[in-house]
């Protein structure tokens, strides 16, 4: 797929089904993440892969986090089902690296760019996906349950699979609405 076409046609898809990427396709997705802008080349991110039964394990940890955080019963009951909405879920975390030159925010932005690069790589290979956030991304307990450190922060959940329905028409916003010239 042409790079500009990819950038101008990528869109999120919430309705996902099998198949998901195979090992070779997932490798391409992960390699794309490692090419993002990254001040000082710190690689301040971690990717936790949940596919197959791993999605059920992720759901169980989400449920445990929801309970520990006192989430509403509806969230607790829904949590184990959330990762089952796609064949592949990649949890992306910003892993804080010690640096006098690269502030934590720069490192978190690099991790966010990794999510976008992975979604683009998946889309370029014919897959669909959506970058999800919600309460699990901001939960105080889930990072520890996932084995992340106290300074690490989840920046998103990338759900990847095959589109289960046609994409809606692409919106066509005018860039001028978002620009102010200095």
């Amino acid at each position: 797929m042409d790079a500009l076409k990819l950038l101008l046609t990528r869109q999120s898809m919430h309705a996902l089904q099998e198949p998901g990427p195979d090992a070779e396709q997932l490798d391409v997705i992960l390699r794309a993440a490692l090419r993002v802008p990254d001040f000082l080349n710190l690689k301040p991110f971690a990717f936790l892969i949940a596919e197959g039964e791993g999605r059920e394990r992720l759901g169980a940890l989400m449920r445990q986090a929801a309970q520990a955080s006192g989430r509403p019963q509806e969230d607790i009951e829904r949590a184990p089902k959330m990762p089952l909405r796609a064949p592949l879920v990649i949890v992306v975390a910003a892993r804080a690296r010690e640096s006098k030159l690269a502030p934590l925010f720069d490192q978190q932005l690099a991790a966010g760019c990794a999510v976008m690069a992975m979604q683009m790589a998946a889309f370029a290979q014919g897959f669909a996906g959506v970058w999800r956030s919600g309460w699990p991304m901001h939960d105080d307990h889930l990072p520890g349950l996932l084995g992340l450190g106290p300074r690490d922060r989840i920046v998103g959940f990338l759900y990847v699979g095959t589109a289960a329905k046609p994409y809606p028409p692409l919106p066509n916003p005018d860039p001028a609405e978002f620009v102010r010239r200095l």
Side-chain angles (χ1 to χ4, degrees):
M1 177 180 282
D2 170 88
L4 284 178
K5 182 178 180 182
L6 172 66
L7 291 169
L8 296 174
T9 62
R10 184 227 58 89
Q11 58 184 315
S12 296
M13 170 58 70
H14 295 265
L16 300 168
Q17 64 186 5
E18 295 283 352
D22 63 23
E24 187 176 310
Q25 293 162 324
L26 177 57
D27 184 67
V28 169
I29 290 168
L30 295 170
R31 287 180 183 278
L34 298 175
R35 299 294 307 151
V36 301
D38 173 14
F39 184 43
L40 298 180
N41 201 31
L42 295 175
K43 301 290 183 255
F45 28 71
F47 312 121
L48 294 90
I49 306 295
E51 54 190 346
E53 292 177 4
R55 297 173 305 147
E56 292 172 10
R57 288 189 290 275
L58 175 58
L61 293 174
M62 288 176 157
R63 179 184 178 102
Q64 190 176 341
Q67 289 172 319
S69 296
R71 301 285 313 168
Q73 188 62 32
E74 176 183 317
D75 289 350
I76 294 169
E77 291 172 10
R78 189 170 158 251
K81 301 172 196 159
M82 292 168 61
L84 303 178
R85 296 180 288 190
L88 170 69
V89 179
I90 304 173
V91 182
V92 181
R95 299 205 88 170
R97 307 287 190 212
E98 288 299 322
S99 175
K100 293 181 190 227
L101 296 176
L104 177 61
F105 184 62
D106 286 11
Q107 296 180 44
Q108 292 170 336
L109 288 173
C113 287
V115 181
M116 183 64 180
M118 287 190 287
Q119 187 180 25
M120 298 295 263
F123 193 80
Q125 295 182 87
F127 293 101
V130 61
W131 178 351
R132 292 188 179 271
S133 56
W135 71 261
M137 189 173 101
H138 304 286
D139 187 80
D140 291 334
H141 296 93
L142 188 57
L145 293 169
L146 292 170
L148 298 170
R151 291 188 54 208
D152 298 342
R153 179 177 176 101
I154 295 171
V155 297
F157 300 84
L158 183 61
Y159 285 59
V160 180
T162 298
K165 63 182 186 180
Y167 283 97
L170 277 171
N172 194 18
D174 181 358
E177 294 178 27
F178 303 91
V179 174
R180 188 182 75 142
R181 300 212 182 263
L182 302 177

